[in-house]
Amino acid sequence: MELQETVTVPTFTDLDEDAFLRDIYPQRRPAVLRGMDLGPCLEKWTAEYLTEKGGDKEVKIHVSTVPQMDFLHKNFAYKTLPFKEFVKRASEKTHCDYFLCKDESYYLRSLGEDVRKEPADLSKQFPDLAADFHIPEFFAPDQFFSSVFRISSCGLQLWTHYDVMDNLLAQVTGTKRVVLYSPQDALHLYLSGDKSEVLDIDSPDLTRFPEFVKAKRYECVLEPGDVLFIPALWFHNTLALHFGVGVNVFWRHLPADSYDKKDPYGNKDPVAAARALQALERALHTLDELPADYRDFYGRRMIQRIQKRTCSDSQSTTSTQQDSDRTSPSNHFTKPG
Ligand SMILES: O=C(O)CCC(=O)C(=O)O
Ligand SMILES: [Fe+2]
């Protein structure tokens, strides 16, 4: 893995809203924000306190026999526990009461009241605890999408994925390593929907995933009180180095009507992107009417067309090429039908 370029995510200390909006936000690159006022949660949120305040509220959790959760082979189970029992188990190494095995790992991604319809909102599901957590005021109230508890057993690793909202991931207790990849490296990540099939990012199987080395790895370790800005579409993979409690806040980057109305998780592609992907599927289906060698040829032409038109790293094409492109009869493909 020495070939993979690694970059440390920059850390900014004591940044105010103006500096964030002026210097960080428009860059659309991840940044660690240190020294923010997250409220009394930083001192208060011990396992004991959470147990007491969170009480018997039922939470749906991920449980797995190994700490690296694998969405491809579904090596985890969804279970339900009272919040206090979940916190107790997630904070201990071995368990007296367990679902799968004595040293199973736990992960909570909190959900809305009506799981399928409503995004999570700490102030609704955990009002007492929400009062201890101050959301950094880096966006207008009407851009708010959700606030989500992220509580992990020590060692828990969550697969590489992207979300479609802008995100502030606050680490309240414990430390967490986060590895990120740029949306521009999407072709090197072996995507299956919003997730990367490369589960072991530290020693990937390069016979299966030879292109993975080309993806630039951005890395940081979040300490209690740190907040990581994850711009929409940036891939992230998290590894809890201790039992840890975090909260992430998603907010809309694009106008509200750009997003799928039925998306409680903040990970459905914007409506225009979803429509474009569907149109591509239809186009591929149409190509199936041709013999294999024709499909190959027209498939390559379609790739070239998409690359020229959309990829910011292929802007080196000459103006002559771009002009001829615009008038080319083959550009019916990207025009709205
Ligand atoms: O650290 C975690 O629990 C994962 C966080 C995450 O995926 C997010 O904030 O979008
Ligand atoms: Fe995420």
Side-chain angles (χ1 to χ4, degrees):
M1 278 302 293
E2 272 137 44
L3 288 175
Q4 192 174 40
E5 196 182 342
T6 302
V7 173
T8 303
V9 177
T11 298
F12 300 85
T13 307
D14 298 333
L15 211 69
D16 61 15
E17 185 197 352
D18 287 348
F20 176 77
L21 291 178
R22 189 185 59 228
D23 304 332
I24 314 268
Y25 192 63
Q27 304 288 326
R28 313 300 300 158
R29 294 168 77 80
V32 175
L33 317 177
R34 190 157 280 171
M36 307 249 300
D37 176 19
L38 295 181
C41 57
L42 284 182
E43 287 84 49
K44 282 189 174 172
W45 283 8
T46 60
E48 295 70 34
Y49 177 86
L50 291 171
T51 304
E52 186 194 309
K53 288 278 175 176
D56 288 321
K57 186 179 173 60
E58 305 243 293
V59 284
K60 199 171 165 199
I61 52 180
H62 295 62
V63 185
S64 65
T65 56
V66 291
Q68 191 175 66
M69 293 210 175
D70 176 348
F71 74 93
L72 282 175
H73 304 100
K74 272 267 151 64
N75 71 343
F76 55 88
Y78 291 107
K79 300 284 179 188
T80 302
L81 279 179
F83 184 77
K84 64 180 181 198
E85 176 65 13
F86 159 72
V87 171
K88 176 183 170 290
R89 292 202 204 172
S91 61
E92 63 193 15
K93 275 239 141 62
T94 50
H95 322 289
C96 304
D97 297 316
Y98 51 85
F99 295 107
L100 310 170
C101 66
K102 267 179 133 42
D103 59 350
E104 64 196 15
S105 300
Y106 290 82
Y107 180 65
L108 168 68
R109 184 251 190 256
S110 64
L111 302 168
E113 225 51 51
D114 183 339
V115 173
R116 249 158 286 188
K117 291 206 186 115
E118 270 171 55
D121 185 341
L122 231 54
S123 69
K124 293 192 181 138
Q125 284 86 52
F126 302 92
D128 288 358
L129 294 171
D132 298 333
F133 176 78
H134 298 173
I135 297 178
E137 288 177 351
F138 286 177
F139 52 89
D142 66 352
Q143 290 175 286
F144 174 83
F145 179 76
S146 64
S147 55
V148 185
F149 252 138
R150 305 279 183 173
I151 304 183
S152 348
S153 291
C154 178
L156 189 109
Q157 187 167 21
L158 197 70
W159 52 74
T160 309
H161 67 279
Y162 72 91
D163 303 293
V164 301
M165 300 288 162
D166 281 341
N167 187 356
L168 287 175
L169 174 60
Q171 190 69 20
V172 180
T173 67
T175 57
K176 184 179 274 176
R177 184 194 78 175
V178 187
V179 173
L180 303 107
Y181 304 94
S182 160
Q184 290 183 357
D185 273 328
L187 293 184
H188 307 134
L189 297 177
Y190 299 87
L191 295 184
S192 168
D194 62 337
K195 305 176 188 72
S196 165
E197 291 186 7
V198 185
L199 292 169
D200 191 348
I201 58 168
D202 297 307
S203 47
D205 179 347
L206 293 180
T207 7
R208 273 179 74 200
F209 308 117
E211 296 285 311
F212 186 66
V213 286
K214 295 186 188 164
K216 192 194 277 191
R217 174 183 171 118
Y218 292 76
E219 189 169 331
C220 57
V221 173
L222 301 179
E223 304 283 342
D226 286 350
V227 176
L228 173 63
F229 170 50
I230 309 178
L233 311 185
W234 273 75
F235 296 88
H236 44 286
N237 177 298
T238 59
L239 171 65
L241 305 175
H242 302 106
F243 159 67
V245 180
V247 176
N248 91 281
V249 181
F250 281 130
W251 78 99
R252 297 181 190 88
H253 174 219
L254 306 177
D257 61 4
S258 308
Y259 297 100
D260 193 318
K261 299 271 173 302
K262 294 194 205 86
D263 176 19
Y265 292 95
N267 64 2
K268 282 204 185 162
D269 294 310
V271 281
R275 281 207 336 259
L277 289 169
Q278 271 165 17
L280 176 62
E281 285 308 314
R282 279 200 301 277
L284 292 172
H285 196 72
T286 309
L287 272 193
D288 283 342
E289 290 171 23
L290 294 163
D293 49 345
Y294 285 71
R295 271 205 313 269
D296 179 289
F297 175 67
Y298 286 99
R300 286 173 200 276
R301 287 197 53 191
M302 285 159 70
I303 291 173
Q304 186 193 36
R305 187 77 191 92
I306 293 173
Q307 249 174 3
K308 271 192 195 159
R309 178 68 181 251
T310 67
C311 294
S312 58
D313 48 7
S314 63
Q315 295 293 307
S316 53
T317 45
T318 65
S319 57
T320 329
Q321 274 172 310
Q322 282 171 351
D323 289 348
S324 71
D325 228 4
R326 248 175 252 134
T327 52
S328 143
S330 67
N331 67 10
H332 66 269
F333 175 66
T334 50
K335 280 191 185 150

